Amino acid sequence: MVYKYVCLIMKIAEQNAVEFQRKLETWYSAFRRRLPWRETKDPYKIWISEIMLQQTTVQTVIPYYNDWMEQFPDMLTLSKVPLQKVLKAWQGLGYYPRAKNLHQASKIIMTDFNGHIPQNYDDLKNLPGFGPYTTAAVLSIAFDLPYLTIDANIRRILMRLLKWPRKASSSIDKKLHHFFSPLLPRRNMGILNQALMELGSLVCRPKNPLCLLCPVLDFCEAYKAGEQEVIPIPEKRSYKKIQAVIGIIEKNGKFLIQKRPSTGLLADLWEFPGGKLEKGEPAEQALKREIQEEMGIEINEARFLTKVQHSYTQFQVTLHAFSCSLNTDPVLDKNRHRWLSLKGMRQFPFPSGSAKVIKFLENKRESNRK
Ligand code: SF4
């Protein structure tokens, strides 16, 4: 089986690699979307875009990217701002370790590499947030070095070209690298990678690929066999549903918020006090328990305010928000807690679910004023 694939690859390599690249690049030059990070060769900007685009759609990323470049236009600026400002700029993009890694890596690049992104594969891959994909993407797109990027889009295309009816796991990447290495051009690798990424987004889509519009249709074994729709074999994902309760504690027009731990889920973001509901536990009871556990104080009264939902990549959270009054002033940890007005909260990074609750409070205050 392996021998058969090697023969196939070598056949393509010998006869068709140049033609494959030419067709793909011609298509890319005609049909690629004009995106802000494609108008630059600045390695810093390419790096930021590649990190933002992980697990996130182009349309979502564009406003974040533009805003980021306004706030942190270069490596030096990014390395000097506080983490909280970076997390705030990232609010709503999800996968927050990406933002922390960007910030940390920018400091290392400033001190160890004189402010320049290293062009050596191992130096780059050792920086926070640089896995094999990001390293290859930055080196190929910014410096035109011959590294093949394999993300979900490219993995899918390569598996279809080869007609590999397997699951799309990262373990298959090594095999793909091995088989495609003989095909890689010495120049224009950045263009080739971007063309493949674009092909995966626009044409070789996970469902209903538009094969008749595909520039490399003649090279595609899955298409020839009519199996393009079933490659790769989809993986079953477990999607957790979480019910949580939060207390909106107000005093003199300010609200009590707390900082999440610096490791784990949604690290270093801010939120309203509260926590998960236990199985079968009523929301009000859970709120009393959580506030007691977290701050050692009791709630006098809890009045239901709103319920919001937000879907993260691997779970969906439902937040039940209650307006609370306390029987005594809490003793607070200055590093973890703040009393803030709604306006003051705009400077702080929150998970998207909490941000929806803040929006609810702003709307409520606005309608009370009318
Ligand atoms: Fe993908 Fe279809 Fe093109 Fe094959 S022919 S690479 S399945 S779009």
Side-chain angles (χ1 to χ4, degrees):
M1 183 69 97
V2 170
Y3 178 73
K4 185 181 150 199
Y5 286 130
V6 172
C7 290
L8 173 65
I9 292 297
M10 294 317 292
K11 194 172 137 212
I12 293 172
E14 285 163 15
Q15 298 170 5
N16 297 324
V18 175
E19 185 63 2
F20 178 94
Q21 187 181 358
R22 191 190 63 75
K23 285 193 168 183
L24 194 56
E25 286 180 8
T26 305
W27 173 85
Y28 179 65
S29 131
F31 294 104
R32 75 192 178 106
R33 292 166 290 180
R34 299 294 187 257
L35 302 172
W37 48 87
R38 289 191 179 149
E39 310 302 322
T40 180
K41 285 296 275 182
D42 181 342
Y44 168 77
K45 293 179 177 173
I46 288 164
W47 170 42
I48 301 297
S49 70
E50 283 302 326
I51 300 292
M52 283 187 171
L53 285 163
Q54 288 170 14
Q55 314 277 348
T56 314
T57 63
V58 163
Q59 288 315 314
T60 303
V61 165
I62 290 173
Y64 279 92
Y65 174 86
N66 289 334
D67 182 56
W68 183 282
M69 289 306 157
E70 292 257 313
Q71 291 195 63
F72 322 119
D74 49 45
M75 192 75 73
L76 179 64
T77 312
L78 178 61
S79 68
K80 285 195 176 300
V81 294
L83 175 62
Q84 182 153 307
K85 200 164 177 200
V86 176
L87 290 173
K88 185 65 190 175
W90 203 267
Q91 182 175 302
L93 260 186
Y95 284 109
Y96 290 88
R98 291 183 295 173
K100 290 181 81 172
N101 285 335
L102 277 174
H103 190 234
Q104 214 184 328
S106 72
K107 288 175 185 291
I108 299 171
I109 292 170
M110 286 311 301
T111 52
D112 294 0
F113 299 99
N114 210 17
H116 300 294
I117 291 182
Q119 296 187 35
N120 174 286
Y121 187 93
D122 290 331
D123 285 344
L124 195 56
K125 190 162 170 297
N126 281 334
L127 291 171
F130 277 89
Y133 169 79
T134 308
T135 306
V138 171
L139 290 177
S140 64
I141 298 170
F143 304 114
D144 203 24
L145 293 172
Y147 291 98
L148 174 67
T149 57
I150 301 188
D151 67 351
N153 276 339
I154 297 182
R155 189 182 299 122
R156 181 172 63 252
I157 295 171
L158 301 183
M159 289 176 76
R160 285 173 175 174
L161 287 170
L162 292 172
K163 193 162 79 70
W164 277 10
R166 302 181 197 175
K167 286 185 181 165
S169 68
S170 52
S171 66
I172 212 157
D173 293 358
K174 262 191 185 169
K175 291 174 186 155
L176 289 172
H177 269 293
H178 178 72
F179 288 133
F180 278 94
S181 289
L183 291 174
L184 300 184
R186 304 313 297 170
R187 295 176 61 192
N188 282 353
M189 195 61 220
I191 301 283
L192 186 64
N193 278 330
Q194 289 181 88
L196 284 167
M197 291 171 194
E198 195 74 335
L199 188 72
S201 295
L202 302 181
V203 176
C204 194
R205 308 178 305 194
K207 286 181 186 164
N208 305 318
L210 305 171
C211 296
L212 295 179
L213 302 178
C214 179
V216 291
L217 176 142
D218 292 343
F219 301 85
C220 183
E221 295 300 312
Y223 175 75
K224 287 177 199 161
E227 292 179 19
Q228 65 273 37
E229 303 263 2
V230 294
I231 295 175
I233 297 170
E235 278 199 280
K236 277 188 192 150
R237 278 194 171 184
S238 60
Y239 193 66
K240 249 177 140 180
K241 291 194 172 183
I242 296 171
Q243 299 284 329
V245 63
I246 54 173
I248 310 299
I249 303 168
E250 188 177 0
K251 190 174 136 188
N252 302 328
K254 294 190 170 179
F255 297 86
L256 183 61
I257 60 168
Q258 64 185 21
K259 194 177 189 185
R260 293 181 61 83
S262 289
T263 53
L265 196 64
L266 307 172
D268 283 319
L269 301 188
W270 291 76
E271 63 183 6
F272 296 100
K276 282 186 206 167
L277 269 73
E278 288 176 359
K279 210 173 174 191
E281 187 180 31
E284 224 176 308
Q285 190 180 315
L287 181 65
K288 283 183 182 169
R289 177 181 52 74
E290 285 288 342
I291 299 285
Q292 174 70 43
E293 282 172 12
E294 285 184 3
M295 288 186 281
I297 48 174
E298 283 186 15
I299 296 170
N300 276 339
E301 195 192 354
R303 193 166 42 84
F304 177 73
L305 271 183
T306 189
K307 184 169 89 171
V308 302
Q309 264 188 352
H310 189 78
S311 294
Y312 299 88
T313 310
Q314 279 156 336
F315 64 94
Q316 181 191 67
V317 69
T318 304
L319 290 177
H320 305 262
F322 286 80
S323 169
C324 302
S325 65
L326 305 176
N327 67 355
T328 177
D329 270 355
V331 180
L332 301 176
D333 173 354
K334 280 186 187 159
N335 295 320
R336 272 200 71 215
H337 296 98
R338 292 271 203 293
W339 287 100
L340 282 181
S341 64
L342 287 175
K343 198 174 165 199
M345 284 189 215
R346 290 184 195 153
Q347 306 302 318
F348 284 64
F350 286 86
S352 296
S354 302
K356 286 181 182 173
V357 175
I358 295 171
K359 188 77 195 146
F360 168 85
L361 295 171
E362 286 175 342
N363 291 343
K364 187 165 171 281
R365 180 160 290 179
E366 195 56 37
S367 65
N368 286 346
R369 280 202 187 115
K370 286 177 187 166

Short mmCIF file of all heavy atoms in Angstrom, two decimals, residues 217-265:
data_model
loop_
_atom_site.label_atom_id
_atom_site.label_comp_id
_atom_site.label_asym_id
_atom_site.label_seq_id
_atom_site.Cartn_x
_atom_site.Cartn_y
_atom_site.Cartn_z
N LEU A 217 -7.97 19.69 -10.37
CA LEU A 217 -8.88 18.55 -10.51
C LEU A 217 -8.21 17.36 -11.21
O LEU A 217 -8.38 16.21 -10.80
CB LEU A 217 -10.11 19.02 -11.28
CG LEU A 217 -11.20 18.03 -11.65
CD1 LEU A 217 -12.56 18.70 -11.52
CD2 LEU A 217 -11.02 17.56 -13.09
N ASP A 218 -7.39 17.64 -12.24
CA ASP A 218 -6.76 16.54 -12.99
C ASP A 218 -5.80 15.71 -12.15
O ASP A 218 -5.43 14.61 -12.53
CB ASP A 218 -5.97 17.10 -14.18
CG ASP A 218 -6.90 17.69 -15.21
OD1 ASP A 218 -8.11 17.38 -15.15
OD2 ASP A 218 -6.42 18.47 -16.06
N PHE A 219 -5.36 16.28 -11.01
CA PHE A 219 -4.38 15.58 -10.17
C PHE A 219 -5.04 14.84 -9.01
O PHE A 219 -4.37 14.22 -8.20
CB PHE A 219 -3.39 16.59 -9.56
CG PHE A 219 -2.63 17.36 -10.58
CD1 PHE A 219 -3.15 18.51 -11.14
CD2 PHE A 219 -1.37 16.93 -11.00
CE1 PHE A 219 -2.45 19.23 -12.08
CE2 PHE A 219 -0.67 17.65 -11.94
CZ PHE A 219 -1.20 18.80 -12.49
N CYS A 220 -6.36 14.93 -8.91
CA CYS A 220 -7.03 14.50 -7.68
C CYS A 220 -7.57 13.08 -7.79
O CYS A 220 -8.53 12.81 -8.52
CB CYS A 220 -8.16 15.47 -7.35
SG CYS A 220 -8.97 15.06 -5.80
N GLU A 221 -6.97 12.18 -7.03
CA GLU A 221 -7.37 10.77 -7.06
C GLU A 221 -8.76 10.58 -6.41
O GLU A 221 -9.53 9.74 -6.85
CB GLU A 221 -6.33 9.92 -6.31
CG GLU A 221 -4.97 9.90 -6.97
CD GLU A 221 -5.02 9.34 -8.38
OE1 GLU A 221 -5.62 8.27 -8.58
OE2 GLU A 221 -4.45 9.98 -9.29
N ALA A 222 -9.06 11.37 -5.39
CA ALA A 222 -10.38 11.24 -4.75
C ALA A 222 -11.48 11.63 -5.73
O ALA A 222 -12.53 10.98 -5.80
CB ALA A 222 -10.45 12.11 -3.50
N TYR A 223 -11.24 12.68 -6.48
CA TYR A 223 -12.24 13.12 -7.47
C TYR A 223 -12.45 12.02 -8.53
O TYR A 223 -13.58 11.69 -8.88
CB TYR A 223 -11.82 14.43 -8.12
CG TYR A 223 -12.76 14.85 -9.22
CD1 TYR A 223 -14.01 15.39 -8.91
CD2 TYR A 223 -12.43 14.66 -10.56
CE1 TYR A 223 -14.90 15.74 -9.89
CE2 TYR A 223 -13.32 15.02 -11.56
CZ TYR A 223 -14.55 15.56 -11.22
OH TYR A 223 -15.44 15.89 -12.21
N LYS A 224 -11.34 11.48 -8.99
CA LYS A 224 -11.44 10.45 -10.03
C LYS A 224 -12.25 9.25 -9.53
O LYS A 224 -12.98 8.63 -10.29
CB LYS A 224 -10.04 9.97 -10.45
CG LYS A 224 -9.30 11.00 -11.30
CD LYS A 224 -7.88 10.49 -11.60
CE LYS A 224 -7.01 11.66 -12.03
NZ LYS A 224 -5.58 11.34 -11.91
N ALA A 225 -12.11 8.96 -8.24
CA ALA A 225 -12.83 7.81 -7.67
C ALA A 225 -14.21 8.19 -7.15
O ALA A 225 -14.94 7.34 -6.65
CB ALA A 225 -12.00 7.21 -6.54
N GLY A 226 -14.56 9.47 -7.24
CA GLY A 226 -15.84 9.93 -6.71
C GLY A 226 -15.91 9.86 -5.20
O GLY A 226 -16.98 9.72 -4.61
N GLU A 227 -14.75 9.96 -4.52
CA GLU A 227 -14.72 9.81 -3.05
C GLU A 227 -14.37 11.10 -2.32
O GLU A 227 -14.06 11.08 -1.13
CB GLU A 227 -13.72 8.71 -2.67
CG GLU A 227 -14.17 7.33 -3.10
CD GLU A 227 -13.15 6.25 -2.74
OE1 GLU A 227 -12.31 6.49 -1.86
OE2 GLU A 227 -13.22 5.17 -3.36
N GLN A 228 -14.42 12.20 -3.04
CA GLN A 228 -13.97 13.46 -2.41
C GLN A 228 -14.81 13.85 -1.20
O GLN A 228 -14.31 14.47 -0.26
CB GLN A 228 -13.93 14.61 -3.44
CG GLN A 228 -15.23 15.03 -4.02
CD GLN A 228 -15.61 14.21 -5.26
OE1 GLN A 228 -15.35 13.02 -5.32
NE2 GLN A 228 -16.24 14.86 -6.21
N GLU A 229 -16.09 13.47 -1.20
CA GLU A 229 -16.98 13.86 -0.10
C GLU A 229 -16.71 13.07 1.18
O GLU A 229 -17.07 13.49 2.26
CB GLU A 229 -18.45 13.63 -0.49
CG GLU A 229 -18.88 14.34 -1.75
CD GLU A 229 -19.58 15.66 -1.45
OE1 GLU A 229 -19.69 16.01 -0.27
OE2 GLU A 229 -20.00 16.31 -2.41
N VAL A 230 -16.09 11.91 1.05
CA VAL A 230 -15.91 11.05 2.24
C VAL A 230 -14.47 11.06 2.75
O VAL A 230 -14.12 10.30 3.65
CB VAL A 230 -16.37 9.61 1.95
CG1 VAL A 230 -17.86 9.57 1.71
CG2 VAL A 230 -15.60 9.02 0.77
N ILE A 231 -13.64 11.89 2.17
CA ILE A 231 -12.25 12.02 2.64
C ILE A 231 -12.05 13.45 3.12
O ILE A 231 -12.39 14.38 2.40
CB ILE A 231 -11.24 11.70 1.52
CG1 ILE A 231 -11.38 10.23 1.10
CG2 ILE A 231 -9.82 12.00 1.97
CD1 ILE A 231 -10.51 9.85 -0.09
N PRO A 232 -11.48 13.67 4.29
CA PRO A 232 -11.11 12.66 5.29
C PRO A 232 -12.34 12.13 6.05
O PRO A 232 -13.39 12.78 6.04
CB PRO A 232 -10.20 13.44 6.24
CG PRO A 232 -10.44 14.88 5.97
CD PRO A 232 -11.14 15.03 4.68
N ILE A 233 -12.16 11.00 6.71
CA ILE A 233 -13.26 10.45 7.53
C ILE A 233 -13.49 11.37 8.72
O ILE A 233 -12.53 11.70 9.44
CB ILE A 233 -12.90 9.03 8.01
CG1 ILE A 233 -12.74 8.10 6.81
CG2 ILE A 233 -13.96 8.49 8.97
CD1 ILE A 233 -12.14 6.75 7.14
N PRO A 234 -14.72 11.85 8.92
CA PRO A 234 -14.92 12.81 10.02
C PRO A 234 -14.73 12.19 11.39
O PRO A 234 -15.05 11.01 11.59
CB PRO A 234 -16.38 13.27 9.83
CG PRO A 234 -16.99 12.27 8.93
CD PRO A 234 -15.92 11.54 8.18
N GLU A 235 -14.18 13.00 12.31
CA GLU A 235 -14.00 12.52 13.69
C GLU A 235 -15.19 12.93 14.52
O GLU A 235 -15.72 14.03 14.34
CB GLU A 235 -12.75 13.14 14.29
CG GLU A 235 -11.50 12.41 13.87
CD GLU A 235 -10.34 12.72 14.79
OE1 GLU A 235 -9.75 13.78 14.61
OE2 GLU A 235 -10.06 11.90 15.67
N LYS A 236 -15.61 12.04 15.40
CA LYS A 236 -16.72 12.40 16.29
C LYS A 236 -16.18 13.28 17.41
O LYS A 236 -15.20 12.93 18.05
CB LYS A 236 -17.35 11.14 16.89
CG LYS A 236 -18.34 10.53 15.95
CD LYS A 236 -19.11 9.41 16.62
CE LYS A 236 -19.88 8.66 15.53
NZ LYS A 236 -20.06 7.26 15.86
N ARG A 237 -16.79 14.43 17.60
CA ARG A 237 -16.33 15.35 18.65
C ARG A 237 -17.32 15.38 19.79
O ARG A 237 -18.53 15.42 19.56
CB ARG A 237 -16.23 16.76 18.09
CG ARG A 237 -14.96 17.01 17.36
CD ARG A 237 -14.82 18.49 17.16
NE ARG A 237 -13.52 18.81 16.64
CZ ARG A 237 -13.11 20.05 16.45
NH1 ARG A 237 -13.90 21.05 16.73
NH2 ARG A 237 -11.91 20.29 15.96
N SER A 238 -16.78 15.37 21.00
CA SER A 238 -17.70 15.53 22.13
C SER A 238 -17.81 17.02 22.42
O SER A 238 -16.82 17.75 22.41
CB SER A 238 -17.19 14.77 23.34
OG SER A 238 -15.94 15.27 23.70
N TYR A 239 -19.02 17.47 22.62
CA TYR A 239 -19.27 18.89 22.82
C TYR A 239 -19.94 19.05 24.17
O TYR A 239 -21.09 18.67 24.36
CB TYR A 239 -20.18 19.37 21.68
CG TYR A 239 -20.28 20.86 21.57
CD1 TYR A 239 -19.17 21.61 21.22
CD2 TYR A 239 -21.48 21.50 21.80
CE1 TYR A 239 -19.26 22.99 21.10
CE2 TYR A 239 -21.58 22.88 21.68
CZ TYR A 239 -20.46 23.61 21.33
OH TYR A 239 -20.56 24.97 21.22
N LYS A 240 -19.20 19.61 25.11
CA LYS A 240 -19.69 19.72 26.48
C LYS A 240 -20.66 20.87 26.63
O LYS A 240 -20.43 21.94 26.06
CB LYS A 240 -18.51 19.96 27.41
CG LYS A 240 -18.17 18.84 28.33
CD LYS A 240 -16.94 19.24 29.10
CE LYS A 240 -16.96 18.85 30.52
NZ LYS A 240 -15.74 19.28 31.18
N LYS A 241 -21.71 20.67 27.41
CA LYS A 241 -22.62 21.77 27.73
C LYS A 241 -22.50 22.08 29.21
O LYS A 241 -22.66 21.20 30.04
CB LYS A 241 -24.06 21.40 27.38
CG LYS A 241 -24.27 21.29 25.89
CD LYS A 241 -25.71 21.27 25.52
CE LYS A 241 -25.83 21.36 24.00
NZ LYS A 241 -27.19 21.41 23.54
N ILE A 242 -22.20 23.33 29.51
CA ILE A 242 -21.97 23.72 30.90
C ILE A 242 -23.03 24.72 31.34
O ILE A 242 -23.34 25.68 30.61
CB ILE A 242 -20.56 24.37 31.05
CG1 ILE A 242 -19.48 23.34 30.73
CG2 ILE A 242 -20.36 24.96 32.43
CD1 ILE A 242 -18.09 23.91 30.62
N GLN A 243 -23.59 24.48 32.51
CA GLN A 243 -24.53 25.44 33.12
C GLN A 243 -23.79 26.13 34.25
O GLN A 243 -23.21 25.47 35.11
CB GLN A 243 -25.75 24.71 33.70
CG GLN A 243 -26.58 23.94 32.69
CD GLN A 243 -27.44 24.86 31.84
OE1 GLN A 243 -27.88 25.91 32.31
NE2 GLN A 243 -27.68 24.47 30.60
N ALA A 244 -23.80 27.45 34.24
CA ALA A 244 -23.11 28.18 35.31
C ALA A 244 -24.00 29.32 35.79
O ALA A 244 -24.91 29.77 35.09
CB ALA A 244 -21.78 28.74 34.80
N VAL A 245 -23.70 29.76 37.01
CA VAL A 245 -24.49 30.83 37.60
C VAL A 245 -23.53 31.95 38.00
O VAL A 245 -22.39 31.69 38.41
CB VAL A 245 -25.29 30.28 38.81
CG1 VAL A 245 -24.38 29.78 39.90
CG2 VAL A 245 -26.25 31.29 39.35
N ILE A 246 -23.96 33.22 37.81
CA ILE A 246 -23.09 34.33 38.20
C ILE A 246 -23.88 35.36 39.00
O ILE A 246 -25.09 35.53 38.79
CB ILE A 246 -22.43 35.02 36.98
CG1 ILE A 246 -23.47 35.47 35.96
CG2 ILE A 246 -21.41 34.13 36.34
CD1 ILE A 246 -22.89 36.30 34.84
N GLY A 247 -23.19 36.03 39.91
CA GLY A 247 -23.82 37.04 40.75
C GLY A 247 -23.44 38.44 40.29
O GLY A 247 -22.25 38.75 40.17
N ILE A 248 -24.43 39.27 40.01
CA ILE A 248 -24.18 40.67 39.64
C ILE A 248 -24.34 41.48 40.93
O ILE A 248 -25.45 41.74 41.38
CB ILE A 248 -25.16 41.16 38.57
CG1 ILE A 248 -25.23 40.17 37.41
CG2 ILE A 248 -24.82 42.57 38.11
CD1 ILE A 248 -23.93 39.96 36.68
N ILE A 249 -23.21 41.79 41.54
CA ILE A 249 -23.22 42.45 42.85
C ILE A 249 -22.87 43.92 42.63
O ILE A 249 -21.76 44.24 42.19
CB ILE A 249 -22.20 41.77 43.79
CG1 ILE A 249 -22.52 40.28 43.91
CG2 ILE A 249 -22.19 42.44 45.15
CD1 ILE A 249 -21.44 39.45 44.57
N GLU A 250 -23.83 44.79 42.93
CA GLU A 250 -23.64 46.22 42.63
C GLU A 250 -23.58 47.03 43.91
O GLU A 250 -24.31 46.78 44.87
CB GLU A 250 -24.81 46.71 41.76
CG GLU A 250 -24.60 48.12 41.25
CD GLU A 250 -25.73 48.57 40.33
OE1 GLU A 250 -26.66 47.78 40.10
OE2 GLU A 250 -25.66 49.72 39.85
N LYS A 251 -22.67 48.02 43.93
CA LYS A 251 -22.58 48.91 45.09
C LYS A 251 -22.18 50.29 44.57
O LYS A 251 -21.15 50.42 43.88
CB LYS A 251 -21.51 48.37 46.04
CG LYS A 251 -21.49 49.06 47.37
CD LYS A 251 -20.48 48.32 48.27
CE LYS A 251 -19.62 49.29 49.02
NZ LYS A 251 -18.54 48.68 49.74
N ASN A 252 -22.99 51.26 44.85
CA ASN A 252 -22.73 52.64 44.42
C ASN A 252 -22.41 52.73 42.93
O ASN A 252 -21.46 53.40 42.51
CB ASN A 252 -21.57 53.25 45.22
CG ASN A 252 -21.85 53.23 46.71
OD1 ASN A 252 -23.01 53.34 47.12
ND2 ASN A 252 -20.82 53.04 47.51
N GLY A 253 -23.16 52.02 42.14
CA GLY A 253 -22.98 52.09 40.68
C GLY A 253 -21.80 51.29 40.16
O GLY A 253 -21.48 51.35 38.97
N LYS A 254 -21.13 50.54 41.05
CA LYS A 254 -20.00 49.72 40.59
C LYS A 254 -20.31 48.24 40.81
O LYS A 254 -21.06 47.90 41.73
CB LYS A 254 -18.72 50.11 41.32
CG LYS A 254 -18.29 51.53 40.95
CD LYS A 254 -16.92 51.84 41.47
CE LYS A 254 -16.46 53.17 40.87
NZ LYS A 254 -15.15 53.55 41.34
N PHE A 255 -19.69 47.40 40.00
CA PHE A 255 -19.97 45.96 40.05
C PHE A 255 -18.71 45.21 40.47
O PHE A 255 -17.59 45.59 40.09
CB PHE A 255 -20.42 45.46 38.67
CG PHE A 255 -21.70 46.08 38.20
CD1 PHE A 255 -21.69 47.30 37.52
CD2 PHE A 255 -22.92 45.47 38.44
CE1 PHE A 255 -22.87 47.89 37.09
CE2 PHE A 255 -24.10 46.05 38.02
CZ PHE A 255 -24.08 47.26 37.34
N LEU A 256 -18.93 44.13 41.19
CA LEU A 256 -17.80 43.33 41.66
C LEU A 256 -17.40 42.32 40.58
O LEU A 256 -18.24 41.53 40.11
CB LEU A 256 -18.19 42.59 42.94
CG LEU A 256 -17.08 41.76 43.59
CD1 LEU A 256 -15.89 42.62 44.00
CD2 LEU A 256 -17.62 41.02 44.81
N ILE A 257 -16.12 42.37 40.19
CA ILE A 257 -15.62 41.36 39.24
C ILE A 257 -14.36 40.73 39.82
O ILE A 257 -13.73 41.28 40.72
CB ILE A 257 -15.32 41.95 37.84
CG1 ILE A 257 -14.26 43.06 37.91
CG2 ILE A 257 -16.59 42.45 37.18
CD1 ILE A 257 -13.73 43.47 36.54
N GLN A 258 -14.02 39.57 39.26
CA GLN A 258 -12.83 38.87 39.76
C GLN A 258 -12.02 38.30 38.59
O GLN A 258 -12.54 38.06 37.51
CB GLN A 258 -13.23 37.75 40.72
CG GLN A 258 -14.05 36.64 40.08
CD GLN A 258 -14.54 35.61 41.08
OE1 GLN A 258 -14.62 35.89 42.27
NE2 GLN A 258 -14.86 34.42 40.60
N LYS A 259 -10.73 38.14 38.88
CA LYS A 259 -9.83 37.65 37.83
C LYS A 259 -9.70 36.14 37.91
O LYS A 259 -9.55 35.58 39.00
CB LYS A 259 -8.45 38.28 38.03
CG LYS A 259 -7.52 38.14 36.86
CD LYS A 259 -6.22 38.87 37.16
CE LYS A 259 -5.35 38.92 35.93
NZ LYS A 259 -4.05 39.51 36.23
N ARG A 260 -9.73 35.49 36.74
CA ARG A 260 -9.56 34.04 36.72
C ARG A 260 -8.08 33.68 36.94
O ARG A 260 -7.20 34.51 36.71
CB ARG A 260 -10.03 33.48 35.36
CG ARG A 260 -11.54 33.62 35.15
CD ARG A 260 -11.95 33.05 33.80
NE ARG A 260 -11.64 31.63 33.70
CZ ARG A 260 -12.40 30.65 34.18
NH1 ARG A 260 -13.54 30.93 34.77
NH2 ARG A 260 -12.05 29.40 34.04
N PRO A 261 -7.81 32.45 37.35
CA PRO A 261 -6.40 32.04 37.55
C PRO A 261 -5.56 32.21 36.29
O PRO A 261 -6.10 32.28 35.18
CB PRO A 261 -6.52 30.56 37.93
CG PRO A 261 -7.93 30.38 38.37
CD PRO A 261 -8.75 31.38 37.65
N SER A 262 -4.26 32.26 36.46
CA SER A 262 -3.35 32.51 35.32
C SER A 262 -3.09 31.27 34.48
O SER A 262 -2.38 31.35 33.47
CB SER A 262 -2.02 33.05 35.82
OG SER A 262 -2.22 34.36 36.27
N THR A 263 -3.61 30.12 34.89
CA THR A 263 -3.48 28.93 34.05
C THR A 263 -4.86 28.32 33.85
O THR A 263 -5.79 28.62 34.60
CB THR A 263 -2.58 27.87 34.73
OG1 THR A 263 -3.09 27.64 36.05
CG2 THR A 263 -1.14 28.33 34.84
N GLY A 264 -4.96 27.47 32.85
CA GLY A 264 -6.24 26.77 32.60
C GLY A 264 -7.13 27.57 31.67
O GLY A 264 -6.72 28.53 31.02
N LEU A 265 -8.38 27.15 31.65
CA LEU A 265 -9.37 27.70 30.74
C LEU A 265 -9.57 29.21 30.97
O LEU A 265 -9.71 29.66 32.10
CB LEU A 265 -10.68 26.96 31.01
CG LEU A 265 -11.78 27.06 29.97
CD1 LEU A 265 -11.34 26.41 28.67
CD2 LEU A 265 -13.04 26.39 30.49
#
